[in-house]
Amino acid sequence: MATQPVSENRSLNEECGIFGVWGHQSAADLTYYGLHALQHRGQEGAGIVANKQGRLWQERGLGLLSDVFSDPSRLQHLQGQSAIGHVRYATAGSGGIENIQPLMVNFSDMQLSLAHNGNITNALSLRRSLEQNGAIFQSSSDTEVLLHLIRRSSAPTFYDKLKDALRTVRGGFAFLLLTPTAMYAALDPHGFRPFVVGQMPDGQYIVTSETAALNAVGATFIRDVQPGELITIDQHGLKIDHYTTNTDLHIDAMEYIYFARPDSDIYGVNVHTARKRMGRLLAAEQPVEADLVVGVPNSSLSAAMGFAEAAGLPNEMGLVKNQYIARTFIEPTQERRERAVRMKLSAVPSVVAGKRVVLVDDSIVRGTTSKFIVWMLREAGASEVHIRIASPAFKYPSFYGVDMQTTEELLAANYSMTEMQEMLGVDSLAFLSVDGLVEAIDLPYEGNGTGLTTAYFDGHYPSPIYDYEPTLADAKADGLVDFQPEPTTTYHPNQVASLQKQQLQDAQTVG
Amino acid sequence: MATQPVSENRSLNEECGIFGVWGHQSAADLTYYGLHALQHRGQEGAGIVANKQGRLWQERGLGLLSDVFSDPSRLQHLQGQSAIGHVRYATAGSGGIENIQPLMVNFSDMQLSLAHNGNITNALSLRRSLEQNGAIFQSSSDTEVLLHLIRRSSAPTFYDKLKDALRTVRGGFAFLLLTPTAMYAALDPHGFRPFVVGQMPDGQYIVTSETAALNAVGATFIRDVQPGELITIDQHGLKIDHYTTNTDLHIDAMEYIYFARPDSDIYGVNVHTARKRMGRLLAAEQPVEADLVVGVPNSSLSAAMGFAEAAGLPNEMGLVKNQYIARTFIEPTQERRERAVRMKLSAVPSVVAGKRVVLVDDSIVRGTTSKFIVWMLREAGASEVHIRIASPAFKYPSFYGVDMQTTEELLAANYSMTEMQEMLGVDSLAFLSVDGLVEAIDLPYEGNGTGLTTAYFDGHYPSPIYDYEPTLADAKADGLVDFQPEPTTTYHPNQVASLQKQQLQDAQTVG
Amino acid sequence: MATQPVSENRSLNEECGIFGVWGHQSAADLTYYGLHALQHRGQEGAGIVANKQGRLWQERGLGLLSDVFSDPSRLQHLQGQSAIGHVRYATAGSGGIENIQPLMVNFSDMQLSLAHNGNITNALSLRRSLEQNGAIFQSSSDTEVLLHLIRRSSAPTFYDKLKDALRTVRGGFAFLLLTPTAMYAALDPHGFRPFVVGQMPDGQYIVTSETAALNAVGATFIRDVQPGELITIDQHGLKIDHYTTNTDLHIDAMEYIYFARPDSDIYGVNVHTARKRMGRLLAAEQPVEADLVVGVPNSSLSAAMGFAEAAGLPNEMGLVKNQYIARTFIEPTQERRERAVRMKLSAVPSVVAGKRVVLVDDSIVRGTTSKFIVWMLREAGASEVHIRIASPAFKYPSFYGVDMQTTEELLAANYSMTEMQEMLGVDSLAFLSVDGLVEAIDLPYEGNGTGLTTAYFDGHYPSPIYDYEPTLADAKADGLVDFQPEPTTTYHPNQVASLQKQQLQDAQTVG
Amino acid sequence: MATQPVSENRSLNEECGIFGVWGHQSAADLTYYGLHALQHRGQEGAGIVANKQGRLWQERGLGLLSDVFSDPSRLQHLQGQSAIGHVRYATAGSGGIENIQPLMVNFSDMQLSLAHNGNITNALSLRRSLEQNGAIFQSSSDTEVLLHLIRRSSAPTFYDKLKDALRTVRGGFAFLLLTPTAMYAALDPHGFRPFVVGQMPDGQYIVTSETAALNAVGATFIRDVQPGELITIDQHGLKIDHYTTNTDLHIDAMEYIYFARPDSDIYGVNVHTARKRMGRLLAAEQPVEADLVVGVPNSSLSAAMGFAEAAGLPNEMGLVKNQYIARTFIEPTQERRERAVRMKLSAVPSVVAGKRVVLVDDSIVRGTTSKFIVWMLREAGASEVHIRIASPAFKYPSFYGVDMQTTEELLAANYSMTEMQEMLGVDSLAFLSVDGLVEAIDLPYEGNGTGLTTAYFDGHYPSPIYDYEPTLADAKADGLVDFQPEPTTTYHPNQVASLQKQQLQDAQTVG
């Protein structure tokens, strides 16, 4: 009998979160508090690297931040003037300590540390090419590729080597690098991931994944990192440069729908407000006769507020979330799955009994949890249950930093609306439209397109996906995807087209 | 440098939670899941005693349930057909493992285990009397008194000894006892604590603190345990008896306001619904010109919903709670206190900036957290902040199972409304009236009075408080309390009137 | 698969060790170092109670001293001017934390702590009697009886209550008691256990089980505690008193043979020197033609030295002991038993191959380890193996503080010399005579008898054994024991004659 | 206050121990038991890599073997048919988990694991050269160099790459490599480290550091690995090859004196027997008038036996070693040092008081422990203390796998015999001669020279020491060393002569 933390049953996994601060006397402590505010972006591992009197020191471990640093001496070891940190989501099979970031290497002439949020789509090709040239990889993380590219670049300076390496990797990435003399931040050319710069009251700079982490440490928001930027922070202050100008904003819409905290702003849009608008527009697009609205706590509470207000229905607490960490013990799978949901969520009979309930959820991925929630509401006496999803149907795989690289398990990719309605056991089912989503987010973007990546919903991928093409080819063969990427300038020679899907899964890690 | 879990900064501490099941093959597992649903009632310790082939086995430890049972072998050791469990809140100084319940004693002729939720008001007198007669107490818990009273009773049978002991203790208590041959449940004559009976689909009986725990294990609610009842569950089924008929319901109003889960029903009233009504009535009693309503998550969200609906204002997520366990490291006290709040709560600038905010909270005890929340909202740009408290002002000490036995730290006991408004830094401050509270709870009770204990707010104590009289005398001397208890029939001879306050604090433990 | 520390395979278990110091500013640290020197007397639990500014504080845990105190804050918690400590051997089934000593009780009028080395032979009777009068025992340890006897004594002062209690218990015991105002040491009327007083260079007094612990902390030996003494150490210095003068020295011979450290002196006799003399006399009594002598490390090295010198044979390292803690994983029992021995001991082929070996061991209890050692020596090529045991054959049960209360597992109690020789697979087998043992120890005692308890070997028990009489009756029925105890003055009325053996085993704990 | 295991105070640190087995169904378990028998060779870390169905799995950690594998699931994870393991001694600053062996790398086309006992003298040069060519090192261990050399070799097959790499490294090394298809063992051309092949009763091959590990698992000794050999063990059995024939046996004499277990045989010589002969010859070379002989337990007991027998003096247990792990808490350094010795060793007053003692020790390195032992013997009443060291004076640094690379702390390198005698506080001091040492070991070697490395004592280094030359140059400048290495054939081009000593110390790790 072994324990299994219930959080693993999450249907769609977040990506990673990163935080860095330069020149502050409590750098590691601030990083700890900042990472705590980003814990929702990764619960499987955490680490901090700090610069203490010209040397980098690393502490990292498996599990939640508070577990990794439960021994206070670990933070004490990291006292110094600058630090970067990482919280991590790990795919199955990649859970070893060697993959926990920030990665750190000790060259005889310099020390370098690296934290990454995203997914490098040509990592496998690059790794094979590097190994054929004698490189030894210690981790199975795609992140390590960048270190080898920097090390092997023939450019004259570290800064040029870094630019060289950034131009070689593909996909979605926000990188933080720390050396004894500077901190660097770089964002991919499409800006798939949120990445912001802030400033402490005394002027020290912070770069991190979400503005919520700035609030958590008492810092002020300065600006979003822009696609293609390479930012240097050192004793001379902050310098903004570009490693490429061939950029095109495509921030991942899932950040607004699901990943980011409601109190974060991304490119000027507050996430809670966007979610509430998704709920409002959903109520307008897909009205329903009902007695009350119930949101799935906690992620769907904003959308439920918006839906209830627009529909003129009372918003009730028909589902209650247990705020304590749940652990189930091994039971036959189905029983355990139900147990896990029951330990996290309870339906409230005295609220829903005899009532027609609109259940508002932010998304449906596999549908297993939704199905059980519906069952619990009916068990508690709800007379009707109507699901309204505050985002479009999730039909296509993702390759830019989300753990959903095949469509096999996606409910909406495999079943019709009628089939889904039946499988979930609901009286009606409806999704927000893609246009509604774009309108709800209302990104103040003036370039071509929407500035958003909505590939999950419409199959339009904004950039080539390199090593994942065989995967996507499978999806295309199933008639799912109409992929027409825009051309990009700097293809890498090692691009391969015929990798086996299994190999990809073996080697792949989301950072 | 040492770590401090942030949860200790809670301004008012919950009491304990208990759960017992008889005759089920997964008794210990059910107890674990039930206690998980009651974790909000006590986070400092947890334990389970199970009856395995006629012998009782105990596992207990300090910390959260999931920590105590993180080693799965601990639950495995408890396999058997019946079990009782306990989650515990511990006052400072009483945190030793020997106080963690269920307590267990091995007599040469029987085994007995005991779990308790409440506070025995004559425990200190009884303990002194027992010690003078040679008793040795191992714990500092008031709960152990009952074991000695049972053991020393001259009644002929265990059942009669138990009744004898129950008639001797005073105060608020819900007891669960487990022997190798039966489980017993007893509630105090005023029914201060919630206590319910449920049934598993296959008929096995459960007795526990809240209906939420019944839902969590898939059991059906049968009835509330009534004041003065002694219930026996054994191989012959369930037997309801009374150890006294001199009863008078006075369920603690704080259970509805703050302690119980929103999905629990107490004496037929759903807690979320009662809270929402508190919010509605508060909006009617204390209206305010404002742009939006913000509830303090998570405990005040129901009241905020009610307030917003009644006031016709949008209910917004202007405060976000971090769902992960926070740990602060030792810093100068004020800094650490703020850090602790910041790690739990964030104000959302893009929601509240430039807005007149109604901040709805369930209660104010010391006011320190409220003050900092107001400060965060202003820092985030709120133009006005109006606090509306969905319960009356908390002015009097409590002796029936809540950790607030002096008025020294109670904000409302020591300052006028104007002073409080200034201290909290708000534009206005208002509380729900006691009448509004009673109306919102709307208890279907047909006896004398309201069926509620509202002593916190009005100083009317429904029963003598024995060993705490000196404490109360202090409060009276300050002109705070107009205490006129009704007479009760079975006074205990050991009642003492002149104990020193300090001694009381040393010896006192809330179960 | 679970781990099993190899040390559990020890054939005869040591008793407990105790250490106390009064008035020293590093009292807890000294106690820690003293207990470390006594670790051989008990490895299953350890604890220290210290007097810190008038209050007693306790730290205790399961396992080795270094494990229990691996967190340095545990010792820090115990800073104060006096302390007592205990290392414990626990019988199966009594391994709970509640049995770990020093025991501590908090009465409303005083605090008291107790550490015990020995075995109270009328503990079960006393416990039953006390329970019938309402006492509640928390531990299953026989030690707790003394606390209840003190508490219930009708004598006027604590000191008189203590004397009263000491006169009521029977068997072998060395007690250390600590209160906020004094430390007390008491030894049973036969002096079964070693117990010594020492003094630090600055004059502070220490009382402990062995002189080795005095050496370990840099203290000087002052005197052996005498049978029947009650010693008080407080701010006025050291006071020697007697709670009884009906005394008769019978120090346990096994302390010299096996339990005590070779560097300890007991009643003026150095243990190593006594063992070496046992080896010399054994060589004289039981000569053998051989090439070399091999002692079983570490306990038999002194005896082997003596045997080799007397026999004129080379003393060789034919068996090597691994100095690191061994842990075996669960395997079929016989395999695991062999594995456990192999992990602790290795035979050295290049030393013993082709040689006639005299294997010197201190004792044979069950014979299983000896049998395997013989097998290893033969596997390593020894041409002959002759066992010489440096103590008499162990045939009778022990009741004064050693874990061997039945004769079922005693090899010598159940088999003839010829049978044993065959079972062990040796070319010859011989034991030291009882007279030889007494001569080797050479106790400077001038009373009646030898001053030694040799009941293991000859069945002469120096005092009634109360609750164990049924056990002994079984042994007598088998024709093993010729028990004729001397009369003693103060029989206890609760003595019972017909207890079942199983009950005894359940309730019995060696301290 | 932090704890410090006393074992760190060891004056001369052992090297590492390695163990490998091929084709046995309990491969990981055997490796565990084998490493347990080698624990004396390294206590700071342990690890095992096993081949389970064609994939290598690694478990490793800091601390003793029994700590690293205290969770039995770690061994369970390693079930498979072959395994290699390592126990490690780590120099200060190199204690990270990434340095714990066996190292493991996952190439996209193969897996490789490596365990190393020794010290590569040109590791720093090689590492710099490799890094300049783009290599990234994860560990600071010299062992990792071999992996990069294999990976970057241009030879066509893995076997040829391995030979290439073995020909490039210099110094003392015994390597075990495991791939999914074979196990390899290689010894340096001078055979500095012991390395033996054994066989299980069912024919499976084992290669390990000492024969004691063969005994521990029930295996039979087959042969010593010879200098320059490369042995392959796979499904076809055992194949012996040479990667070089330019070999010259120089087994480290310290293995006989101090490092190896007394029950091991090295090149046919039993270690206990050699030590006993060292004691005999020492008694002949350096006789002394005395009453008794006392050996320092445990390492010097063999030599003391030999001395006592040759001198005709009684061998007594005047010093007793505590067999339990000692931990001291932080105290002022000198006090703590003494405390650490006291916790490990006690002098026995009743043995030594008034006696002239010959204290036999195996070696003197820094002399601090010896000095304190002498002091303890005098405190215990010894009238005279004469030290006799059963090896020559230790004057020169070591570079082939022992942690003593400077002479700064070597007592004998810095003081005359008279000075040492005074510093130690002894009545006389004498060492065994180098000739006596060679005669005592009596190696059955028929090549040039003695077959032994005695550089510690005479400064004759059998091979160039490459990166350590600056260190040695310092020693030469002090007039200590008359280094004239024999020429060797295959110099490496990267040899550097002017490295700074500090850099060397930073980078250096003994495997």
Side-chain angles (χ1 to χ4, degrees), chain B residues 97 104-109 127-128 131-138 144 147-148 151-152, chain C residues 97 104-109 127-128 131-138 144 147-148 151-152:
Chain B
I97 183 77
M104 193 167 98
V105 285
N106 296 294
F107 300 127
S108 45
D109 54 356
R127 181 172 181 143
R128 293 193 172 197
E131 287 196 349
Q132 279 157 15
N133 288 294
I136 295 180
F137 280 73
Q138 291 291 330
E144 193 180 343
L147 296 176
H148 288 271
R151 190 70 192 168
R152 288 171 179 243
Chain C
I97 182 77
M104 193 167 98
V105 284
N106 295 294
F107 299 126
S108 46
D109 55 355
R127 181 174 180 142
R128 294 195 169 196
E131 287 196 350
Q132 280 157 14
N133 289 295
I136 295 181
F137 280 73
Q138 291 292 330
E144 192 180 343
L147 296 177
H148 289 270
R151 189 70 191 169
R152 287 170 179 244

Side-chain angles (χ1 to χ4, degrees), chain C residues 153-220:
Chain C
S153 165
S154 54
T157 67
F158 174 77
Y159 191 72
D160 289 334
K161 287 174 197 279
L162 172 57
K163 279 188 164 179
D164 226 19
L166 290 169
R167 288 185 198 114
T168 308
V169 292
R170 293 285 175 275
F173 53 82
F175 285 120
L176 271 178
L177 294 96
L178 185 68
T179 75
T181 54
M183 180 165 80
Y184 303 91
L187 185 62
D188 70 75
H190 295 89
F192 287 116
R193 298 291 137 222
F195 209 24
V196 294
V197 182
Q199 208 166 7
M200 293 296 289
D202 293 341
Q204 301 91 343
Y205 287 103
I206 288 169
V207 188
T208 184
S209 297
E210 295 190 28
T211 61
L214 297 178
N215 292 345
V217 300
T220 311

Side-chain angles (χ1 to χ4, degrees), chain D residues 232-246:
Chain D
T232 306
I233 301 169
D234 60 14
Q235 57 175 335
H236 307 298
L238 180 143
K239 184 185 79 174
I240 296 175
D241 190 7
H242 289 76
Y243 65 88
T244 178
T245 54
N246 191 330

Side-chain angles (χ1 to χ4, degrees), chain D residues 363-442:
Chain D
S363 56
I364 286 189
V365 181
R366 293 184 188 84
T368 41
T369 299
S370 305
K371 184 180 167 182
F372 191 68
I373 291 174
V374 171
W375 184 86
M376 285 201 301
L377 287 171
R378 291 211 188 271
E379 183 193 40
S383 62
E384 295 179 15
V385 180
H386 303 268
I387 292 193
R388 290 297 176 271
I389 304 297
S391 63
F394 194 157
K395 294 182 184 171
Y396 304 97
S398 168
F399 307 106
Y400 308 121
V402 179
D403 176 39
M404 189 53 72
Q405 288 150 16
T406 77
T407 57
E408 283 168 29
E409 292 189 302
L410 289 179
L411 192 72
N414 293 283
Y415 299 98
S416 70
M417 287 296 288
T418 314
E419 288 169 332
M420 284 192 280
Q421 183 171 327
E422 194 169 314
M423 291 167 76
L424 296 172
V426 288
D427 296 285
S428 75
L429 164 69
F431 293 86
L432 182 64
S433 68
V434 176
D435 286 347
L437 173 67
V438 172
E439 181 184 343
I441 295 176
D442 193 20

